Amino acid sequence: MPTTSINDIIVLVILVIVIIVHQLREWKEKSWSKNPSLIDENLCCRFSFTQISFATNNFDNGLEIGRGGFDKVYKGVIKVTNDKVEMTVAIKRLDSESKQGEKEFILEIETLSKLRHKHLVSLIGYCNDGREMILVYEFMERGTLADHLHKNKRNGSEDVTPLTWKERLNICLGAARGLEYLHNNSEQEVIHRDVKGENILVDLNWVAKIADFGICKVGGATSHTHTHISTDVKGTFGYLDPAYFSTRMLTKKSDVYAFGVVLWETLCGRPVIDDRINNKQQRNLVLWVQRCCENGMVDEIIDSSLRGQIPTDSLQSYIKLANLCLHKQTNKRPTMAKVRKDLESLLVDGLNFLR
């Protein structure tokens, strides 16, 4: 009877360990793929990772259309309505290794699956196979408001046609209607908390829609009744409501403040924080605009491509509205319903002027 050498025992032990590790890995994969649905599938489609991978050609870099801190966005084509209809979509894949996006991922599904409006980006479905966190939206062909105002120019894109005054007002009006719906709908009142040019998307017909609900807050907090939501401060620097930043008391008027910044962004055609400018006051859009208005230098802030397109009375009304949105006292700021009505009037004035 031959004796077993130490080398044979070592090989045998290694082989057993490899088999155990392989089986554990298989067991983990199977358990990950059995993740429960996050929402009623009548409200929102649930896609498999295989479907998502096929739709993006295995996440082809050539289909990448956007990138954030914890996600990449791809253009894809996916089958919906029981695989009967092909639909062009935007597919946002969150970093599966990051736990920071998990809460936002679930919140966005729960919020957008229950809210449907012409001026909100539609959530088509999601994928939560294993560790994957993927959101599928309607595809917005013309990108973001920020793209058209300043981002494309800075990225060296060719043939960038500046938006006309009418187009800018139309986009702001659409976004205002979307926010008004969020604040006042009967399903669930929502404070967006991250209103900015990059989160206002535009479709092929130039219809503006609010996007990105990952840090929104559900609940009816209004400054009229002095109710609020106490919460950690989240949002984008430059658009943050100073009152919310200092007190951590979030209200709908915090969205109104951010929308006021968007109004300035739209008129001036520049980013809210311009790192290329050394002067601190000029680098910050709001500080620069307020200083110019105080010194009677309004002409300096208007995007040069808008010269001759804005009637004087309309410009004054627009500036007044933007400044009201940024009022230090939250109860002095208008509601989004009032902002929407004012923009509708401005659009009519602008069309009459052009005629």
Side-chain angles (χ1 to χ4, degrees), residues 51-319:
Q51 288 174 295
I52 299 292
S53 184
F54 184 78
T56 58
N57 194 22
N58 199 25
F59 300 97
D60 184 349
N61 288 335
L63 295 175
E64 188 178 318
I65 56 174
R67 181 180 295 209
F70 300 100
D71 55 61
K72 291 183 180 180
V73 183
Y74 300 84
K75 181 180 179 180
V77 177
I78 203 162
K79 289 185 177 181
V80 296
T81 318
N82 297 323
D83 289 341
K84 292 178 181 177
V85 180
E86 279 194 342
M87 184 178 188
T88 302
V89 292
I91 295 174
K92 182 161 74 173
R93 186 188 192 188
L94 282 73
D95 184 355
S96 59
E97 298 301 316
S98 171
K99 287 294 181 184
Q100 294 187 50
E102 187 174 352
K103 183 180 177 181
E104 291 80 359
F105 171 70
I106 294 171
L107 178 61
E108 185 138 8
I109 293 169
E110 290 177 342
T111 304
L112 271 183
S113 60
K114 296 172 185 174
L115 299 176
R116 300 290 174 182
H117 190 269
K118 179 182 178 181
H119 294 290
L120 300 184
V121 170
S122 295
L123 180 68
I124 307 301
Y126 69 97
C127 169
N128 67 327
D129 266 8
R131 294 181 178 178
E132 292 291 344
M133 296 179 289
I134 299 171
L135 296 166
V136 181
Y137 305 92
E138 64 174 313
F139 182 66
M140 302 293 283
E141 291 86 351
R142 299 194 186 275
T144 73
L145 173 60
D147 288 338
H148 294 280
L149 293 176
H150 48 77
K151 281 186 73 175
N152 284 341
K153 296 176 190 174
R154 288 159 185 267
N155 294 336
S157 300
E158 297 180 4
D159 302 322
V160 177
T161 304
L163 293 174
T164 65
W165 181 236
K166 175 189 170 185
E167 288 169 338
R168 296 182 198 215
L169 283 179
N170 256 323
I171 291 171
C172 287
L173 177 56
R177 286 171 174 162
L179 283 172
E180 181 188 2
Y181 169 77
L182 286 178
H183 289 182
N184 302 316
N185 75 90
S186 58
E187 183 68 36
Q188 54 179 16
E189 294 184 357
V190 175
I191 301 173
H192 187 279
R193 212 160 46 145
D194 200 18
V195 177
K196 57 183 178 180
E198 290 185 3
N199 285 340
I200 298 172
L201 305 189
V202 189
D203 73 7
L204 189 61
N205 298 315
W206 294 99
V207 175
K209 306 191 181 192
I210 302 291
D212 201 341
F213 290 76
I215 62 171
C216 73
K217 277 291 180 183
V218 177
T222 73
S223 57
H224 289 306
T225 57
H226 299 285
T227 62
H228 63 271
I229 300 172
S230 295
T231 178
D232 290 341
V233 175
K234 288 187 178 181
T236 300
F237 184 68
Y239 299 87
L240 273 175
D241 172 14
Y244 166 44
F245 184 80
S246 61
T247 65
R248 298 193 174 189
M249 295 180 181
L250 178 69
T251 74
K252 294 175 185 177
K253 297 300 181 73
S254 298
D255 278 353
V256 174
Y257 180 94
F259 190 80
V261 180
V262 170
L263 290 178
W264 286 127
E265 186 180 1
T266 302
L267 179 65
C268 304
R270 56 154 279 185
V272 173
I273 304 295
D274 194 337
D275 293 326
R276 301 178 308 174
I277 299 174
N278 291 325
N279 185 296
K280 185 178 179 181
Q281 279 199 323
Q282 291 183 4
R283 187 188 310 146
N284 184 299
L285 175 63
V286 172
L287 293 178
W288 175 59
V289 164
Q290 288 174 340
R291 182 181 61 82
C292 287
C293 288
E294 288 168 1
N295 295 331
M297 300 185 297
V298 173
D299 285 346
E300 289 191 17
I301 67 174
I302 301 172
D303 190 336
S304 58
S305 67
L306 295 176
R307 303 293 182 192
Q309 293 186 40
I310 314 174
T312 303
D313 290 346
S314 292
L315 178 61
Q316 290 175 349
S317 297
Y318 185 94
I319 290 173

